[in-house]
Amino acid sequence: MAMVGRVRPLRLAVALLLVLPLVTASAGPHPTRPIALTDVLPAVAEAAPDPGGDFRITADTEISATESALAVAGQLAEALRPATGFDLRLVRASRGPVIDLALEPGHPDEGYRLEVRQDRVELRATYPAGLFFGVQTLRQLLPPEIESDTVQRRRWTVPGGRIHDRPRYAYRGAMLDLARHFHTAAEVRAYIDQISRFKINYLHLHLSDDQGWRIRIDSWPRLTEVGGAPGTGVGGDGGGFLTKDDYRELVRYAAERYITVIPEIDMPGHVNAAQVAYPELACDGVAPRPRTDMRVGYSSLCVREETTYRFVEDVIRELAEMTPGPYLHVGGDETFATPHGSYLAFQRRVLPLVRKHGKIPYGWHEIGQSPAAGDALLQFWGRERDNPMVNTAVAAGAKLVMSPANRTYLDMKYDSLTPGGLDWAGAIEVRTAYDWDPDGLLADVPATAILGVEAPLWSETLRDYADIEFLAFPRLVAIAELGWSPARSHDWESFRARLGTYGSRWVRQDVGFHRSPQIRWS
Ligand code: TNX
């Protein structure tokens, strides 16, 4: 004690200056806090930190990869280049400090092992998708400055240790509605870039609705000539459509990021735009007026007419031809203008058409009413714990993707003050999006029937890309974690802390996310 009294004031000040940053750093998320092996979104399945094993990336680091790992290795080199300024060499084998990527048997589908030691980083997976997801993890283990598009002078340290990671669900989806407001292929690519950071593996595109038709169909050209014309968005905004080349390019771009595109044509409801272009699709043969309002449930294809099925099959065939993924989404929701018997008659013919063209039928959960659903995939968008349509279909072999509107709908407002967004399913702040269990939501559905989760983003109020970013982030990450991370790791405090530190990455990427008051952003 006597010693303390003799410490000179200057020494004391210096000592405090040294100690204070440590104290504040350990108090919570802070930009200078070293990154831990577990600071990853979505949470990794298993991590064993090794404090002595930090790896430093320098200009001399090499990336080695076997032939089958070369593409992902190239993506890693590209991701590291802008902020580090290093043009990391891609080699077959290396003796020096290296990030080594290779395929090996024994990992779960999409899973990977990432081992960080002082002299090397090893990334292993059975399939390239696993390597890609491992690279997304590795990027998050580097300081946030790695997201900068200009060279940052600093140390690039990866925390030492070993990660074993794998997804909880095979299906982790995001949906974008291009119908209510069209968004260009470039905007969809930007969204793909963002969602792929969080190990999302399906992108569902809602391509038609009452207001507009957004994908070129050669055998029915007026669909996009009329339904994709300028002014076909909600409120008379925008308009536009994807050409077949745009669509194929999106499919390719997504596949490079291990994301499978699922096209949706919504029917027998949500078809006003198709009927404006082709009045023969309405029972009275009269073209309805174009609609730019937000109402739903008033339009229906003419279920008794053969023309309808010629149309439907042409659309399904052309979509299936340019879609390598297994699923084709046929909508089926909110058909208040289609009598129940007609709805069943329609699905009895349409669901087999999807199979005829080599795809698994996928639809909103209402298609579960149809005995023809069989082993179709159903997207549950309800809010109730008990849904008879779903129960019957699941008993008959259908699988479910969980998109409960009051948890996963990214177009809902965060709170009553949120600019834009809708509120019919309630306000959804980050914790509401995060704190639920996809397996336990529906009372009578066994966990084995749940294929995964999806976060839909309807676009009634989304005029530009900034609107997409603001509503999707951070909530999409909550859904991504529900889809990827093991149920036992589910923990709001942990999620909230990891999200808080991720904010500075979005700032550097110029992503205009919602600064939720539930999160301590660093
Ligand atoms: C319901 S959920 C819809 C969409 C709307 C959305 C707006 C579902 C299958 N249909 O037509 O765009 O609400 O939140």
Side-chain angles (χ1 to χ4, degrees):
M1 285 299 112
M3 293 286 286
V4 175
R6 266 185 265 135
V7 172
R8 295 220 297 268
L10 183 64
R11 287 232 189 124
L12 186 66
V14 170
L16 276 177
L17 275 178
L18 287 174
V19 169
L20 263 180
L22 294 176
V23 174
T24 47
S26 59
H30 191 276
T32 59
R33 186 183 64 128
I35 292 166
L37 201 64
T38 47
D39 280 348
V40 180
L41 286 168
V44 300
E46 291 163 47
D50 170 13
D54 291 2
F55 179 85
R56 198 173 150 201
I57 300 179
T58 69
D60 297 326
T61 305
E62 293 180 321
I63 300 181
S64 59
T66 50
E67 177 70 35
S68 46
L70 212 55
V72 178
Q75 289 172 307
L76 172 63
E78 228 173 275
L80 300 182
R81 189 172 302 125
T84 62
F86 306 151
D87 215 350
L88 302 184
R89 267 188 317 281
L90 283 184
V91 297
R92 280 306 156 97
S94 164
R95 293 178 161 276
V98 69
I99 304 176
D100 181 58
L101 281 68
L103 297 182
E104 65 180 25
H107 297 277
D109 287 3
E110 302 189 292
Y112 64 90
R113 171 172 63 85
L114 179 65
E115 199 162 332
V116 182
R117 300 201 299 256
Q118 232 173 51
D119 59 336
R120 57 193 276 120
V121 173
E122 238 177 60
L123 178 56
R124 295 288 182 272
T126 301
Y127 303 103
L131 293 179
F132 181 83
F133 297 134
V135 162
Q136 303 318 308
T137 297
L138 181 56
R139 295 171 80 176
Q140 291 188 36
L141 293 177
L142 284 158
E145 289 84 353
I146 197 67
E147 305 300 344
S148 179
D149 56 7
T150 56
V151 176
Q152 308 291 303
R153 306 233 155 269
R154 60 155 301 137
R155 274 170 184 262
W156 302 104
T157 308
V158 186
R162 183 195 298 212
I163 289 175
H164 274 106
D165 204 8
R166 71 194 75 88
R168 177 181 180 187
Y169 295 111
Y171 187 109
R172 306 171 305 277
M175 187 205 88
L176 196 54
D177 172 8
L178 299 188
R180 274 51 176 274
H181 276 97
F182 180 65
H183 293 95
T184 63
E187 291 171 319
V188 179
R189 280 196 295 276
Y191 198 52
I192 290 173
D193 285 343
Q194 281 303 322
I195 65 180
S196 70
R197 297 294 194 110
F198 307 105
K199 306 181 172 88
I200 293 288
N201 65 349
Y202 283 94
L203 176 66
H204 164 186
L205 295 175
H206 183 78
L207 292 168
S208 69
D209 215 298
D210 291 315
Q211 297 84 349
W213 187 286
R214 310 301 182 195
I215 179 75
R216 165 77 185 187
I217 299 294
D218 292 336
S219 50
W220 298 74
R222 285 174 53 79
L223 289 171
T224 44
E225 284 163 15
V226 175
T232 50
V234 164
D237 291 338
F241 63 92
L242 300 175
T243 65
K244 285 192 161 177
D245 282 347
D246 289 337
Y247 180 85
R248 287 195 189 96
E249 167 58 17
L250 279 179
V251 165
R252 194 198 58 74
Y253 190 87
E256 265 178 18
R257 287 149 188 82
Y258 300 91
I259 291 177
T260 301
V261 171
I262 301 173
E264 178 192 349
I265 295 300
D266 204 348
M267 47 196 177
H270 294 270
V271 293
N272 192 73
Q275 292 173 331
V276 172
Y278 291 101
E280 60 267 44
L281 298 176
C283 278
D284 61 7
V286 178
R289 67 187 167 90
R291 296 284 290 256
T292 58
D293 59 286
M294 304 201 290
R295 277 195 49 219
V296 295
Y298 54 82
S299 62
S300 176
L301 290 173
C302 189
V303 169
R304 60 169 189 267
E305 282 295 334
E306 278 313 302
T307 315
T308 296
Y309 302 98
R310 255 204 308 116
F311 164 78
V312 170
E313 183 162 7
D314 286 340
V315 170
I316 289 175
R317 188 190 65 249
E318 290 195 34
L319 274 180
E321 274 166 9
M322 52 182 175
T323 302
Y327 301 111
L328 203 146
H329 201 304
V330 290
D333 60 315
E334 298 175 325
T335 50
F336 313 132
T338 317
H340 183 65
S342 305
Y343 185 83
L344 295 182
F346 179 80
Q347 299 299 3
R348 192 166 55 237
R349 294 195 57 178
V350 169
L351 296 173
L353 284 178
V354 178
R355 295 191 180 94
K356 173 179 168 192
H357 291 279
K359 300 296 171 190
I360 300 169
Y362 186 13
W364 299 105
H365 67 247
E366 288 96 320
I367 69 163
Q369 298 169 89
S370 167
D375 60 356
L377 189 56
L378 267 53
Q379 188 166 12
F380 176 72
W381 63 278
R383 288 172 277 175
E384 61 283 358
R385 283 191 36 82
D386 194 27
N387 183 297
M389 306 178 198
V390 167
N391 294 346
T392 320
V394 165
K399 292 266 190 261
L400 285 187
V401 167
M402 298 300 288
S403 299
N406 56 346
R407 301 286 190 174
T408 67
Y409 270 32
L410 302 179
D411 59 314
M412 291 301 120
K413 289 175 180 291
Y414 290 96
D415 59 38
S416 59
L417 298 178
T418 304
L422 303 176
D423 59 8
W424 65 265
I428 305 181
E429 247 301 349
V430 181
R431 185 165 189 169
T432 306
Y434 182 73
D435 254 346
W436 62 285
D437 180 12
D439 276 358
L441 195 78
L442 286 165
D444 288 329
V445 171
T448 49
I450 311 288
L451 191 64
V453 289
E454 181 173 299
L457 183 47
W458 301 98
S459 66
E460 282 92 336
T461 69
L462 307 182
R463 307 175 67 158
D464 56 28
Y465 189 69
D467 295 335
I468 293 182
E469 283 185 344
F470 179 74
L471 287 173
F473 303 110
R475 288 180 294 192
L476 176 99
V477 189
I479 306 307
E481 177 145 319
L482 287 171
W484 179 276
S485 307
R488 62 171 158 73
S489 75
H490 188 88
D491 178 46
W492 165 250
E493 287 305 328
S494 156
F495 178 71
R496 157 172 197 262
R498 284 176 286 120
L499 195 54
T501 48
Y502 198 92
S504 65
R505 292 177 196 269
W506 276 327
V507 169
R508 287 182 169 83
Q509 294 167 41
D510 238 348
V511 171
F513 63 103
H514 164 60
R515 289 182 167 270
S516 164
Q518 296 183 331
I519 309 297
R520 206 153 8 108
W521 300 102
S522 61

